Amino acid sequence: MKVYYDRDNATFDVRSKTVKDMLKEINVFRNAVIVVVNNEVVTEEYEFQDNDTVKILSVVSGG
Amino acid sequence: MCQNCQKHPVTTLTSGRPLCKNCFLKYFEKKVRKTIRVYKLIGKTDSLVIALSGGKDSLTVLDLLSNIYTHSPSVSLTAVAIDEGIDGYRDKTLEYARDFCHKRQIPLEVVSYKEAFGFKLDNVVKGRRACSVCGVLRRSLLNRKARELGANKLVTGHNLDDEAQTILMNQFRRNVETSARLGPITGVDTHKGFVRRIKPLYFMSEKEVMTYAYLKGLTREFNECPYNRGSYRNQVRDLLNTFEEKFPGTKYSIVNSFLEVLPLLKQKEKNRFRINACSRCNEPCSQTVCQKCMVLEEIKST
């Protein structure tokens, strides 16, 4: 499955089945992002479904 | 499922409580209102200037306050945005800030480094720590503008993560004087030239603010200052997030234990320092010459 991470403006291929495992897989702090699936914010327990559109949004803004 | 209403959860609080969209928005707004009430951040006749960067924190605090005080005509709100002169970054956030304020009929003043100091940040950062230079100049300009607008409080979007980072940074650098100025309402002493800063998002984590901003449609696209990534603060942010992953609640513990000793710190610094007027620009400062004048002198000398 492909996921987009806005802070790196990059798309990753991941194999994880849940949000929690995905963040571990791509080495992103869970407190530093929110995860949006099909335009809905989800928790780390969310289990991915086929055809999900997944975006990881950094919580860092400004400087 | 949401602990309150069994709907699809959007977040899990540090306590382990899952909440759906509506319950999270209520939780967030209630907690901000409580911070304002408990720390007496805003009075019935306050004139507020909100420091607006166009990022999630300042947009959230402006949106919240404009909703809370919409039926309180004796509390006035004006937004002030600083244009530091960072190409490809600030122009975008300023455009969004203008649009945001226009739609909500909130007055917005924009002040630039170029007009106030004669240069753009981009042109003076080479060989310098950008965030240190920028932070000093921005704080000084915001205070001056808030005072000129007749404000008695300057509202910032600082959140729990910002405060925990600053507490640690001050510890690492043995910066007791700066620590004493922290807290939900800043400053050690009062001075007619100094507009006290208040932080209604003080107890909201950065993740909670982002979740709120996203759910309310306040954010548009990702915006991070290009000078942020290599900064000292960013390294402390990573350090804190490493601990928070392993030991949830670390950030709350840092801030809450700091708040217990803060009154002692403030008292200590109050006895040591008085706010004076800078001998060069007459702005309030704790030494003979203010930091802004020292930064400007260093820039002009090269």
Side-chain angles (χ1 to χ4, degrees):
Chain A
M1 185 183 63
K2 289 191 186 307
V3 298
Y4 173 74
Y5 181 29
D6 67 351
R7 194 178 191 202
D8 288 347
N9 191 22
T11 302
F12 297 93
D13 261 320
V14 298
R15 290 194 291 183
S16 305
K17 303 289 183 206
T18 65
V19 167
K20 190 175 188 175
D21 291 343
M22 173 192 71
L23 295 176
K24 270 188 199 161
E25 186 181 337
I26 60 171
N27 205 20
V28 169
F29 291 120
R30 61 176 187 259
N31 289 298
V33 296
I34 63 170
V35 176
V36 175
V37 178
N38 307 325
N39 296 320
E40 299 276 347
V41 184
V42 298
T43 61
E44 288 165 45
E45 285 68 39
Y46 180 84
E47 293 178 11
F48 295 119
Q49 311 291 313
D50 290 341
N51 302 320
D52 271 350
T53 303
V54 183
K55 283 190 287 187
I56 304 171
L57 307 182
S58 170
V59 303
V60 177
S61 66
Chain B
M1 286 291 130
C2 173
Q3 194 175 317
N4 298 344
C5 60
Q6 300 303 309
K7 286 184 184 160
H8 149 76
V10 295
T11 195
T12 307
L13 304 182
T14 309
S15 62
R17 226 172 106 200
L19 293 178
C20 69
K21 177 180 174 179
N22 284 342
C23 291
F24 172 74
L25 294 177
K26 276 184 201 163
Y27 150 84
F28 190 99
E29 288 163 10
K30 193 176 167 187
K31 203 166 166 182
V32 173
R33 282 173 186 268
K34 188 178 174 188
T35 303
I36 293 172
R37 192 176 65 247
V38 169
Y39 289 91
K40 299 181 175 62
L41 298 188
I42 298 173
K44 286 178 182 166
T45 56
D46 275 350
S47 174
L48 307 175
V49 154
I50 291 103
L52 185 66
S53 70
K56 69 176 191 310
D57 304 295
S58 60
L59 291 170
T60 294
V61 80
L62 179 56
D63 186 66
L64 273 168
L65 294 188
S66 65
N67 290 336
I68 292 173
Y69 294 101
T70 189
H71 299 300
S72 305
S74 56
V75 174
S76 70
L77 299 177
T78 303
V80 170
I82 304 291
D83 180 0
E84 304 93 342
I86 305 172
D87 284 347
Y89 167 65
R90 185 52 78 209
D91 37 357
K92 284 194 284 184
T93 60
L94 277 179
E95 185 193 330
Y96 191 51
R98 282 194 181 95
D99 186 49
F100 188 89
C101 289
H102 179 71
K103 282 179 181 157
R104 286 163 177 77
Q105 296 183 307
I106 298 166
L108 169 68
E109 299 270 342
V110 180
V111 199
S112 72
Y113 281 10
K114 182 80 181 163
E115 124 200 13
F117 307 124
F119 54 77
K120 291 168 69 175
L121 186 72
D122 280 343
N123 297 336
V124 299
V125 290
K126 198 175 177 187
R128 296 185 175 90
R129 289 194 305 197
C131 298
S132 304
V133 171
C134 187
V136 168
L137 299 182
R138 190 172 55 222
R139 278 191 295 276
S140 172
L141 205 48
L142 278 170
N143 185 68
R144 194 175 87 192
K145 193 64 191 176
R147 195 182 60 232
E148 285 170 4
L149 289 167
N152 65 329
K153 305 265 176 65
L154 175 59
V155 184
T156 68
H158 285 104
N159 57 48
L160 183 90
D161 290 54
D162 295 326
E163 191 79 350
Q165 290 156 16
T166 309
I167 291 165
L168 276 196
M169 287 160 71
N170 287 338
Q171 287 285 313
F172 291 168
R173 291 169 159 167
R174 201 184 169 196
N175 210 340
V176 179
E177 187 193 338
T178 313
S179 282
R181 296 179 196 151
L182 296 176
I185 182 158
T186 65
V188 170
D189 205 356
T190 53
H191 184 277
K192 61 179 169 41
F194 177 61
V195 183
R196 296 190 93 174
R197 292 192 294 274
I198 59 170
K199 306 170 187 171
L201 305 183
Y202 193 82
F203 293 103
M204 312 316 296
S205 74
E206 192 159 39
K207 181 163 177 152
E208 287 176 329
V209 179
M210 180 63 183
T211 305
Y212 184 87
Y214 183 86
L215 293 173
K216 293 275 282 185
L218 304 176
T219 56
R220 199 169 52 172
E221 59 184 33
F222 177 65
N223 263 306
E224 181 181 9
C225 176
Y227 299 115
N228 183 46
R229 288 216 174 186
S231 69
Y232 188 65
R233 177 175 291 278
N234 207 41
Q235 293 182 54
V236 174
R237 172 186 280 122
D238 284 350
L239 178 104
L240 269 174
N241 278 333
T242 305
F243 268 78
E244 187 72 33
E245 298 255 341
K246 288 182 185 166
F247 312 107
T250 295
K251 292 171 192 171
Y252 281 105
S253 296
I254 290 172
V255 170
N256 281 320
S257 55
F258 174 76
L259 283 176
E260 287 190 35
V261 297
L262 185 59
L264 299 172
L265 274 182
K266 284 194 189 289
Q267 193 55 51
K268 177 175 179 277
E269 291 303 315
K270 203 170 181 173
N271 294 336
R272 284 178 60 198
F273 292 104
R274 282 278 171 271
I275 299 180
N276 308 308
C278 169
S279 61
R280 293 182 193 168
C281 70
N282 220 27
E283 286 291 313
C285 72
S286 58
Q287 289 152 5
T288 317
V289 178
C290 74
Q291 284 206 317
K292 178 216 48 176
C293 284
M294 288 196 275
V295 166
L296 291 178
E297 185 177 284
E298 191 277 323
I299 288 171
K300 280 172 189 162
S301 70
T302 53

